[in-house]
Amino acid sequence: MESVYMGYFYSIIIPAWNVEKYIEKCIRSCVNFNNREFEIIIINDGSTDSTLEVINQKFGDNDNIRVITTANRGLSEARNEGIRQSQGEYLIFLDADDWLQQDMEDFLKNKDKIASCDVFYFGAQKVSDENNGILSKSLYPIKTDDVLNGKDVIKVGKKYYIPVEAWRGVYRKQFLIDKKICFVSGILYEDVAFWFSFIKNAGKLRYTNDVFYNYMKDIQVSDFVKEQVQSKDYISRFSQWSTVWCGEKAYLFFMLDYNNYYIGA
């Protein structure tokens, strides 16, 4: 299948804020993917450390890497900027302190399978900052050969925990544009809001429990979000998303641990 976009089938979007310690490993995990198929877009979100210097020094000669520097606006706006700037037909979100498995490239080579859905979700594993040891794997309680719609996923979510992090999927860009789906700025747990918006609209979702993503245990929150977020505000927003999609009796339980979300009705 040929891409109708600007020469790339995939755009990997990496928001980067004060990640001088991690950014090189993050980029190296995907820079060796087939350059004809992938572009890497790094949104330098107002970093005040040497993040930008590391990127330029280590990867300045890579013609499939673009670096866009903005004022510090937070993770949501950095991702949204990456969506606007992307030239690929399908999008992958990669946090700057995480990294991809090399065998993900083999999965992404099956472009016809990827193109059969609005999003293709994959498995992930939590790793230790100290020695990169695997702490746990996070998979899906869903038959991985099925093509599902949003209502199918919600039915499963009423019984089982379903991971919702945005970096778990390969998204069709045109679907996001057509449905006006983006990341909400100025809130914590923006991935939950994004997930609800996507699931509410999605007609074709696929899952694999192959693990392609490594994520760090610790969470980094930018200065912008620290200043803008108010707990009552984001709690009410989550309530709106869950109620609109699941019904008046629906509710969303979320714990302080970023990796634990539960949906009930």
Side-chain angles (χ1 to χ4, degrees), residues 113-136:
K113 193 171 184 178
I114 297 294
S116 69
C117 52
D118 301 318
V119 61
F120 209 127
Y121 288 112
F122 46 81
Q125 58 192 15
K126 184 188 295 186
V127 295
S128 168
D129 188 9
E130 289 77 19
N131 56 15
N132 295 335
I134 299 173
L135 300 177
S136 63

Side-chain angles (χ1 to χ4, degrees), residues 4 26 73 79 112 135 192 202 215 228:
V4 298
C26 172
R73 297 179 295 174
R79 285 173 171 170
D112 288 337
L135 300 177
V192 180
Y215 64 101
Q228 296 295 321

Side-chain angles (χ1 to χ4, degrees), residues 39-91:
E39 69 165 347
I40 300 170
I41 302 175
I42 304 167
I43 307 299
N44 176 36
D45 188 35
S47 296
T48 57
D49 64 357
S50 62
T51 294
L52 184 59
E53 288 78 3
V54 172
I55 296 170
N56 289 334
Q57 182 181 65
K58 301 293 185 179
F59 305 101
D61 294 333
N62 292 79
D63 57 10
N64 68 324
I65 295 179
R66 284 191 287 148
V67 181
I68 299 164
T69 296
T70 66
N72 179 233
R73 297 179 295 174
L75 177 61
S76 289
E77 281 306 311
R79 285 173 171 170
N80 290 337
E81 184 65 27
I83 295 172
R84 287 189 290 268
Q85 296 289 341
S86 62
Q87 298 177 358
E89 189 170 350
Y90 284 81
L91 309 179

Side-chain angles (χ1 to χ4, degrees), residues 1-11 36-39 87-90 111-112 115 173:
M1 176 177 180
E2 297 297 325
S3 172
V4 298
Y5 283 76
M6 301 293 291
Y8 296 109
F9 195 78
Y10 298 105
S11 295
R36 292 172 296 174
E37 300 291 340
F38 295 85
E39 69 165 347
Q87 298 177 358
E89 189 170 350
Y90 284 81
K111 293 189 291 183
D112 288 337
K173 178 181 177 179

